[in-house]
Amino acid sequence: MEEDCCATQLIYGDGKFNAGGLDRFVKEVKLAECGISYGVVAIVGPQSSGKSALQNHLFTTKFKEMNANSGRSQTTKGIWIAKCVGIEPCTIAMDLEGTDGRERGQDDTFKKQSTLFVLAVSDILLINMSLDGQDKPFLETFFQVVMRFGIPRKTTLLFVIHDNSKIWNGVPKPQAHKSTRFSDFFSEEVVVMSSYEEKEKFKEEVAQLRQRLSPGMLFAGYRRGLVPASGFSFSAQQIWKVIKENKDLDLPAHKVMVANVRCEEIANHIFNQLIYDKVCTHLSPFLRCLYNIRKGWLALKEAVQTGPVQGFGKRLSSILGTYLSKYDIEAIYFDGGARNSKRQLLESKALDFVYPAYTTMLGHVRSKALEDFKVRLEQSLNKARGFATYVRICTHSSMLEFDKGCADAAVIQANWDASRVREKLQRDMDAHASSVCSAKLSELNVNYEQQLSASLIGPVKTLLETGGKDTWASIRKLLNRETEVAISEFSTVVADFELDEATIAEMLQHLRDYSRNVVEKKAREEATKIMIHMKDRFSTVFNYDSDSTLRVWTGKEDIASITKDARSASMKLLSVMAAIRLDEKPDHIEKVLFSSLMDGAVTVSSSQDREIGASVDPLASSNWEEVSSKNILITPVQCQSLWRQFIAETENSVTQAISAHVMAATARCEEIANQKFSQLILDEDWLALEEAVQIGPVQGFGKRLSSILSTYLSKYDTEATIYFDEGARNSKRQLLESKALDVWLLSSSL
């Protein structure tokens, strides 16, 4: 297919720049792909001097040529641009309207502007001149423009005449350029060619000139003002804009400006590719392999939202490196300062953009390290080491794991600091360890509290129910012993937690307080059941002997004494439960109770009472003397009330016992009386006296009968005296005596 030169009008005759047309031209000829391997040639000269024809023959372009039959009139208006066909590297030709066009009259503004424009963008400038010197004013103006604007390019000027240096020397120069030589600004080439009318010779000479326009000549100029091909369109627009606005043309600054704009455009384009993952989705399989992209940014971003990604930092570094490399490739020919500045900005924006994913990854690493810490700590608690040792070991292991994860997540292009996340992990582990420590200590407290409760409640209850002389001394001894055992064991176990001394002391005091509270609570509980305990104690003492054998009321028992003992035991129990005595402070509770309730007397116990000699009921009070109110379980008034209730509720038991006692004594005495009566009527002395009386009077009868009766009554008394009921005993004695006398009278009357 024949190559198209794509001729396009670049600047219209009215000076308007055809930006859209230039962009299409650049795209069609693929100029942006050339980097800095491209050239620009332009031609200036009088109107209808054959500029367009010369370029068409030289570069195979298709600029519009003058029709000779129409006369010498303007053919080219403004500036046209076309691709030189068959010339490598890529070369762009520019065709300008004539420098002496009659159509513009005396206004030579556009002529100067267009000439300055092509001078700023061209590597080779063809000056198509006749030999009659009519263009000398143009060249003088041209040289003045060069010196005025200080264009920093050493453009090659290709003349058709050879006496140009004389014109240069005759041009007035500013002080700064008094000694400036023509060669400082230009490389000069002179070509003499036939006119276009001599077609064969003209074509021959054109072919020779085409050979001279080799790459060596094309790039022979000093190209420090060169703009990379991808920025040619923007640069051309900006140069024309500056010229139109009549500003001084500063090509070095212009070059930097173009580089800034184009590099920023490239950077923004690359950044948008990163955002939408276009490199990954649009690259061919070969380029994906070249860039080592297995999965792109969007896939990595999605993956890290779900959970930790192995090799996150390496993958993200590779993705960022791919996009930055793409920027480097596209911006390689632009000004280094601008290029690097925009690259740094692109890198900074890219890092800011992907940073949330990095923080998410760190969050996963921190969460995993924290969970592993919790698992390790829980597992370690079953091993033979102290808690604080477990925490240190597990913390160290989890921190190593976190640091390894941070290293895996690190991005080469960034210098991100994970210290804040690491500090948060440390705080979280410390908080969890503290929570576990609190739970373990709480568990220990509960265990030892349960141990103390188990070792104290039962024995204290038994001691209180016993109500002996040394009840509270025994309780204190028990309390001290069990508390110290628990304290000793607890101190050994809690040492593994490496707590501060104040905390340990507080915990030990808690156990001491707890054990005391257990005793006090149990004492208060039992005090609420004092009536039950007193009645149980009374029943035990009253109904059972010292061998714990159930009493059988035979009539021989001293019920009054037994009742007194039973009531004394109950009174002792009441005095024991009247107050808590864990501080070993003496009191007079027992003495007051016994003297007031058992003995029925009132004792003046306080020093003040003794001084005034008053008789005071010590039970008419709500406090015990010398006993703290917090230790009082049963007040004096309550004791008095309880005792009255107790007497009333146990009186029936005494009455029943007395009744049983009387019945037993009566039956036994009656049995003894009957036995003695039977023995009496069969007594030999009795029978002999009875027989003697039947015969006649018996000397000393009364004395002898009284003696016999006294003997058997004495025997009755001897056997019946062990039965304590006097009434039953005397009643049956009288019955025995009465029966014996009745039998004697009956026998005597017969």
Side-chain angles (χ1 to χ4, degrees), residues 495-515:
D496 290 338
F497 291 84
E498 298 182 6
L499 303 174
D500 59 271
E501 293 182 2
T503 301
I504 294 177
E506 183 179 351
M507 297 177 72
L508 296 181
Q509 186 59 45
H510 168 77
L511 286 180
R512 291 188 179 94
D513 295 340
Y514 179 84
S515 59

Side-chain angles (χ1 to χ4, degrees), residues 188-261:
E188 179 186 8
E189 295 287 338
V190 179
V191 176
V192 178
M193 297 184 67
S194 301
S195 67
Y196 181 64
E197 284 74 11
E198 302 178 53
K199 291 188 177 181
E200 295 301 323
K201 191 174 182 181
F202 177 77
K203 290 181 179 179
E204 223 177 280
E205 292 170 351
V206 165
Q208 294 174 359
L209 179 57
R210 186 183 182 93
Q211 291 295 322
R212 293 183 64 180
L213 295 176
S214 62
M217 181 180 180
L218 186 64
F219 299 120
Y222 181 41
R223 313 184 81 215
R224 67 183 180 188
L226 181 66
V227 174
S230 63
F232 177 79
S233 176
F234 177 77
S235 176
Q237 294 180 57
Q238 294 300 312
I239 290 174
W240 182 248
K241 180 180 179 182
V242 170
I243 292 173
K244 287 287 289 180
E245 293 176 357
N246 197 25
K247 296 178 180 178
D248 290 346
L249 183 62
D250 185 355
L251 286 184
H254 171 78
K255 177 185 176 183
V256 173
M257 182 270 292
V258 172
N260 277 323
V261 172

Side-chain angles (χ1 to χ4, degrees), residues 162-174:
H162 57 271
D163 59 347
N164 303 293
S165 60
K166 294 180 181 179
I167 300 175
W168 172 265
N169 293 332
V171 173
K173 302 179 180 65

Side-chain angles (χ1 to χ4, degrees), residues 673-691:
N674 290 335
Q675 182 186 30
K676 298 310 170 187
F677 178 75
S678 298
Q679 292 176 354
L680 172 63
I681 61 176
L682 295 178
D683 183 88
E684 293 181 357
D685 291 338
W686 170 271
L687 293 174
L689 182 58
E690 182 181 22
E691 183 178 352

Side-chain angles (χ1 to χ4, degrees), residues 52-53 130 143 149 192 248 324 329 592 652 664 719 749:
S52 300
S130 62
F143 294 150
F149 290 99
V192 178
D248 290 346
L324 291 174
I329 292 172
V592 170
N652 187 51
E719 292 186 31
S749 63

Side-chain angles (χ1 to χ4, degrees), residues 68-110:
N69 296 325
S70 300
R72 190 174 183 271
S73 61
Q74 187 179 44
T75 302
T76 303
K77 294 182 180 181
I79 301 176
W80 285 73
I81 189 171
K83 182 177 184 297
C84 299
V85 178
I87 295 181
E88 293 294 338
C90 179
T91 303
I92 305 302
M94 288 187 178
D95 190 19
L96 280 70
E97 67 178 58
T99 58
D100 60 346
R102 293 185 299 273
E103 288 78 3
R104 294 193 181 271
Q106 296 299 317
D107 185 7
D108 64 349
T109 301
F110 184 80

Side-chain angles (χ1 to χ4, degrees), residues 174-472:
Q175 187 65 33
H177 291 287
K178 286 294 183 181
S179 59
T180 301
R181 297 172 298 173
F182 181 83
S183 59
D184 291 335
F185 278 91
F186 306 105
S187 295
E188 179 186 8
E189 295 287 338
V190 179
V191 176
V192 178
M193 297 184 67
S194 301
S195 67
Y196 181 64
E197 284 74 11
E198 302 178 53
K199 291 188 177 181
E200 295 301 323
K201 191 174 182 181
F202 177 77
K203 290 181 179 179
E204 223 177 280
E205 292 170 351
V206 165
Q208 294 174 359
L209 179 57
R210 186 183 182 93
Q211 291 295 322
R212 293 183 64 180
L213 295 176
S214 62
M217 181 180 180
L218 186 64
F219 299 120
Y222 181 41
R223 313 184 81 215
R224 67 183 180 188
L226 181 66
V227 174
S230 63
F232 177 79
S233 176
F234 177 77
S235 176
Q237 294 180 57
Q238 294 300 312
I239 290 174
W240 182 248
K241 180 180 179 182
V242 170
I243 292 173
K244 287 287 289 180
E245 293 176 357
N246 197 25
K247 296 178 180 178
D248 290 346
L249 183 62
D250 185 355
L251 286 184
H254 171 78
K255 177 185 176 183
V256 173
M257 182 270 292
V258 172
N260 277 323
V261 172
R262 282 295 297 135
C263 289
E264 184 171 353
E265 290 177 351
I266 295 170
N268 290 337
H269 179 64
I270 296 299
F271 182 69
N272 287 332
Q273 287 184 338
L274 169 63
I275 293 176
Y276 299 107
D277 205 15
K278 291 183 178 179
V279 169
C280 179
T281 56
H282 295 158
L283 286 181
S284 67
F286 172 76
L287 288 179
R288 291 192 189 188
C289 180
L290 177 64
Y291 287 132
N292 193 26
I293 301 178
R294 297 182 181 178
K295 294 182 178 180
W297 157 247
L298 294 181
L300 181 60
K301 178 182 177 183
E302 181 179 354
V304 82
Q305 295 300 321
T306 305
V309 178
Q310 187 69 28
F312 174 87
K314 185 177 180 180
R315 288 177 58 181
L316 184 53
S317 298
S318 176
I319 292 170
L320 292 174
T322 298
Y323 287 104
L324 291 174
S325 296
K326 186 172 175 61
Y327 169 86
D328 292 338
I329 292 172
E330 293 190 30
I332 188 171
Y333 297 116
F334 288 98
D335 177 77
R339 181 177 68 246
N340 294 335
S341 173
K342 299 305 178 182
R343 189 187 195 278
Q344 291 175 1
L345 182 61
L346 170 62
E347 184 174 359
S348 177
K349 286 177 62 178
L351 290 175
D352 289 343
F353 176 70
V354 301
Y355 183 73
Y358 170 77
T359 59
T360 300
M361 180 62 190
L362 284 191
H364 292 315
V365 174
R366 184 195 64 81
S367 296
K368 185 177 185 304
L370 180 59
E371 289 304 314
D372 289 346
F373 170 78
K374 294 177 180 179
V375 172
R376 288 191 187 102
L377 184 59
E378 186 65 28
Q379 293 174 346
S380 298
L381 292 177
N382 299 322
K383 298 178 181 179
R385 287 183 179 177
F387 178 82
T389 303
Y390 304 157
V391 172
R392 282 193 295 272
I393 293 174
C394 296
T395 299
H396 180 69
S397 298
S398 293
M399 277 302 183
L400 287 178
E401 178 184 337
F402 175 79
D403 292 339
K404 183 178 178 182
C406 286
D408 183 71
V411 177
I412 296 174
Q413 294 85 354
N415 188 26
W416 289 327
D417 185 7
S419 60
R420 293 182 64 180
V421 181
R422 196 178 196 276
E423 291 170 0
K424 186 177 188 311
L425 172 61
Q426 183 66 62
R427 291 194 301 270
D428 291 342
M429 289 192 295
D430 290 344
H432 179 73
S434 177
S435 176
V436 173
C437 178
S438 297
K440 289 298 178 182
L441 291 175
S442 177
E443 182 181 343
L444 278 176
N445 272 325
V446 170
N447 290 340
Y448 280 92
E449 286 173 359
Q450 291 175 346
Q451 176 181 320
L452 284 168
S453 296
S455 63
L456 290 173
I457 290 177
V460 168
K461 182 177 185 296
T462 300
L463 288 170
L464 289 173
E465 289 176 348
T466 301
K469 178 181 179 181
D470 299 322
T471 294
W472 282 105

